[in-house]
Every structure is written in C-alpha cells, then in structure tokens.
Amino acid sequence: MTAEEMLKAIEDMENGERIKLLNKLFDDYFDSRPPKEQILKEKEEMFWGKEDE
C-alpha cells in the first residue's frame, strides 16, 4: 500500500478507529520511552538500592 492509499484509508475511517490507529502507531514506532518494567525496576533500585549491595 502506498502512502497516498494509507492517507485515503485513514480519511475514510471513523474517528474512533482513527484514534486507535494513531495510538498503535505511536506505541509501535514513535514511543522512545523504556518499557514500563524497566522504569519500575530503576525506581525500585533508586529506592532500595541494587540487589547485590
């Protein structure tokens, strides 16, 4: 599918489906944050220290 075809398909979507698509695109391609598990582990290490200390 070309970019133009994709844009046409997006324009033809209902608003709710368009929002789902945008969220999925963000999660899969544009979100540069570390995974939630990594964030929680780092917070735990900051609070409690590393396991081997």
Side-chain angles (χ1 to χ4, degrees):
M1 189 177 261
T2 66
E4 291 298 322
E5 291 169 335
M6 288 296 297
L7 288 173
K8 176 68 173 131
I10 291 169
E11 289 171 358
D12 292 341
M13 286 180 182
E14 291 182 14
N15 195 46
E17 288 301 310
R18 191 177 306 121
I19 291 169
K20 287 180 192 177
L21 173 63
L22 291 173
N23 286 331
K24 179 95 174 110
L25 288 171
F26 176 77
D27 291 342
D28 291 351
Y29 298 104
F30 300 103
D31 187 6
S32 62
R33 295 176 292 185
K36 182 178 180 181
E37 294 79 23
Q38 182 179 348
I39 294 170
L40 292 174
K41 182 181 178 197
E42 289 173 0
K43 285 185 177 185
E44 186 175 298
E45 287 176 355
M46 285 184 344
F47 186 73
W48 296 106
K50 294 191 179 191
E51 289 182 18
D52 58 348
E53 292 180 348

